[in-house]
Amino acid sequence: MTSQTQTRPPIRFRGRSFLAVVLAPEAPIEDWLADLDALAKRSPAFFAGRAVILDVTALAPSRDALHDLVVALNEREIPIMGIEGAGAGSLGPGMPPPLNGGRPSGEVAMPGEAPAAAPVERVTGAKSLMLESPVRSGQAILFPEGDVTVMGSVASGAEIIAGGSIHIYGALRGRAIAGAAGSPGARIFCRKFEPELLAIDGLYRIADDIDPSLRGRAVQVWLDGDAMRTAALD
Amino acid sequence: MAKVIVVTSGKGGVGKTTTTAALGAALARTGQKVCVVDFDVGLRNLDLIMGAERRVVYDLINVVQGDAKLPQALIRDKRLDTLSLLPASQTRDKDALTDEGVARVIGELREKFDWVICDSPAGIERGATLAMRHADIAVVVTNPEVSSVRDSDRIIGLLDSKTERAEKGERLEKHLILTRYDPNRAERGEMLKIDDVLEILSIPLLAVIPESEEVLKASNLGSPVTLNAPQSAPARAYADAVRRLKGETVAMTVPSEKRSLLGKLFTRRAA
């Protein structure tokens, strides 16, 4: 029996991040709840299965008012996983736990809300990082916001991690990790293909698994379902 | 005001100290006032190659820590009166170098000389970053071998981020010296070719120093190769490098295969 307990692997802790929707109620609460109802009517499933955090920093409610607010939200089947900005004494048993240390990540688009404006905004807001000089061994370029373009080469031992696609107008000798923000549509392009590691959206391939006939050529890499594809550009 | 050159590399044993001594002596021969500084605290080799190991009284650490004045520690070369050496300490810890102290010593040297050439320790640790910190020009020394080239690439990255000039947003002038190059072996694919190295590192080439026994001979005699055998191929390559550093345009002489008719006959027979 004891040997069995000894062979059990140790408990492992993992990190996982979800995009939480932050609700920041404004006074007067009744009007704000009415607006929320109108919104929920337009897209009933918006809050289903989402992580919702209640930010009461601006409201600064009393203990009872906060309790009423949580009850009102529960009635609307909006599950609150945590409360930000509440005073130390105002959270008791039966209330969601306090949260801190969150980092803002921009607006969450509501379905059915100004559908015409959203795509245009995304195109103009598309960010990219332009690197004029070669990326040296030991350097790591992290750009989760979008595409990375390198005018020089990426040296062996260097690393580019992009939220979007990676374009290299020199030789790729290091690691290229595209689509790091979870975009399987991201691609890797380079003029001279000698990579150590390629990755798109978490799928990776090391140098040994790469078709040797592509070495030294201009190549693009993309994802086709769960398979990584490579093809010469010329 | 002097120009400060740092001679650096990622990997050890590629010829930084030899290059520092050879460049220093070649510059001093042209009448420029030169000081070579050994930053390789804990190892100390430049004084040996310069043939001044018996004359070291005070060293860089003593000056940095204020135990000695700079003129007390400077060793004037016996062959060239325009050449001086600031030696390193072998007995002291490499952590004895402080940032402020080094900045003050380099500032004093700048006023006294036309050129200050710092021989950096290999690698990316504190000693190397301190040596490169105040440089105006970096000379990266590389062998035609993959490990040496990759480590040099890392060092170039540091030169672009950890130096005073880089932090001010200015560009640090960077040059490459390729040492121990053997054209025959490069042709046979036993070492990297010049073009391959240049393509990977993408900084301008200052000189290609051919593999030669003259370099080893000069080192062991305690005399820079540019003084000991000025007509030898490596000495001429270093002399050309110095003219390029001074802004002259000199055609690059790349060591090529020396094949006499007899040699051709022999290689053909062998093949």
Side-chain angles (χ1 to χ4, degrees):
Chain A
M1 285 304 276
T2 45
S3 67
Q4 252 184 353
T5 49
Q6 271 168 358
T7 53
R8 282 177 63 84
I11 295 171
R12 282 197 282 175
F13 293 92
R14 291 197 184 86
R16 184 162 301 182
S17 64
F18 291 95
L19 190 65
V21 177
V22 177
L23 283 179
E26 288 157 23
I29 285 293
E30 289 73 26
D31 295 353
W32 184 82
L33 285 172
D35 287 348
L36 190 67
D37 285 338
L39 193 144
K41 202 179 265 179
R42 265 187 293 160
S43 50
F46 181 74
F47 288 108
R50 272 194 197 252
V52 180
I53 289 169
L54 191 62
D55 181 2
V56 292
T57 317
L59 203 62
S62 67
R63 188 185 170 128
D64 290 340
L66 186 62
H67 185 258
D68 291 346
L69 182 63
V70 172
V71 169
L73 289 170
N74 276 339
E75 278 171 4
R76 289 165 177 79
E77 291 181 355
I78 297 173
I80 305 293
M81 64 171 281
I83 295 185
E84 257 190 328
S90 56
L91 294 175
M95 293 285 280
L99 278 179
N100 51 39
R103 281 175 297 173
S105 73
E107 302 241 318
V108 176
M110 279 300 293
E113 202 178 275
V120 180
E121 178 111 340
R122 229 168 265 162
V123 173
T124 51
K127 285 181 200 162
S128 78
L129 177 70
M130 175 77 80
L131 301 168
E132 300 274 2
S133 51
V135 183
R136 302 289 180 184
S137 184
Q139 275 187 297
I141 308 289
L142 177 66
F143 189 70
E145 284 84 19
D147 290 10
V148 174
T149 309
V150 186
M151 296 314 294
S153 295
V154 177
S156 156
E159 190 172 62
I160 305 244
I161 305 167
S165 299
I166 298 174
H167 310 257
I168 298 159
Y169 288 89
L172 167 59
R173 300 194 178 93
R175 298 158 159 245
I177 297 157
S183 39
R187 293 188 180 203
I188 299 167
F189 303 88
C190 71
R191 272 257 295 269
K192 198 171 175 195
F193 190 66
E194 291 166 4
E196 284 174 343
L197 181 137
L198 298 166
I200 299 175
D201 190 24
L203 237 80
Y204 71 93
R205 208 183 256 192
I206 53 170
D208 284 352
D209 307 334
I210 291 162
D211 182 1
S213 69
L214 291 173
R215 290 187 76 80
R217 299 174 69 182
V219 163
Q220 71 156 321
V221 185
W222 73 99
L223 276 193
D224 180 9
D226 276 344
M228 188 179 282
R229 307 267 184 211
T230 45
L233 286 169
D234 45 6
Chain B
M1 282 293 272
K3 278 200 172 163
V4 179
I5 302 178
V6 62
V7 178
T8 183
S9 80
K11 198 171 164 293
V14 294
K16 283 181 301 299
T17 305
T18 308
T19 297
T20 307
L23 289 179
L27 263 170
R29 267 167 66 101
T30 66
Q32 303 268 309
K33 283 203 291 179
V34 182
C35 180
V36 287
V37 185
D38 193 350
F39 263 94
D40 202 349
V41 173
L43 289 175
R44 192 185 127 179
N45 270 323
L46 189 57
D47 53 331
L48 266 179
I49 290 191
M50 300 281 293
E53 75 275 14
R54 288 156 194 256
R55 299 164 61 203
V56 174
V57 181
Y58 293 108
D59 53 49
L60 176 67
I61 301 272
N62 294 135
V63 184
V64 162
Q65 298 196 328
D67 304 333
K69 293 213 164 60
L70 182 61
Q72 291 178 292
L74 285 174
I75 303 172
R76 180 78 63 87
D77 192 88
K78 279 187 172 157
R79 295 148 296 204
L80 292 167
D81 57 358
T82 47
L83 182 61
S84 296
L85 163 73
L86 181 55
S89 165
Q90 216 165 0
T91 51
R92 305 288 282 273
D93 191 359
K94 63 180 171 18
D95 296 328
L97 285 177
T98 61
D99 198 7
E100 308 80 54
V102 170
R104 187 179 41 101
V105 173
I106 296 283
E108 275 183 60
L109 287 169
R110 264 184 206 275
E111 284 168 22
K112 280 180 189 285
F113 294 94
D114 300 319
W115 298 85
V116 177
I117 309 181
C118 305
D119 182 21
S120 163
I124 55 172
E125 279 183 76
R126 207 174 119 79
T129 40
L130 273 175
M132 67 172 69
R133 185 147 183 81
H134 305 283
D136 306 307
I137 303 170
V139 171
V140 179
V141 182
T142 299
N143 286 166
E145 143 189 9
V146 281
S147 59
S148 171
V149 173
R150 179 192 287 193
D151 291 354
S152 290
D153 193 63
R154 176 89 163 96
I155 288 297
I156 298 169
L158 288 187
L159 289 169
D160 283 334
S161 62
K162 291 276 161 83
T163 52
E164 216 173 36
R165 283 197 166 227
E167 282 168 11
K168 277 193 280 182
E170 295 171 27
R171 275 195 77 77
L172 179 78
E173 215 180 294
K174 297 180 289 286
H175 297 282
L176 181 71
I177 287 190
L178 187 61
T179 54
R180 309 199 63 171
Y181 187 73
D182 183 336
N184 293 314
R185 299 186 62 194
E187 202 51 51
R188 289 201 298 267
E190 290 170 15
M191 55 169 70
L192 288 175
K193 290 184 184 165
I194 300 171
D195 289 347
D196 297 337
V197 178
L198 285 178
E199 212 237 297
I200 294 170
L201 295 180
S202 60
I203 57 170
L205 183 64
L206 190 65
V208 180
I209 313 299
E211 173 82 336
S212 163
E213 56 189 44
E214 288 295 341
V215 177
L216 183 66
K217 213 192 284 173
S219 285
N220 287 339
L221 287 174
S223 166
V225 69
T226 40
L227 287 185
N228 192 53
Q231 290 313 312
S232 64
R236 274 181 290 149
Y238 277 122
D240 282 353
V242 156
R243 288 171 64 193
R244 290 186 194 104
L245 278 177
K246 286 166 80 181
E248 290 177 46
T249 331
V250 186
M252 186 65 69
T253 46
V254 172
S256 57
E257 293 174 75
K258 261 190 225 149
R259 262 197 195 173
S260 62
L261 186 65
L262 206 63
K264 263 183 197 166
L265 287 174
F266 272 119
T267 45
R268 240 178 236 166
R269 199 175 290 168

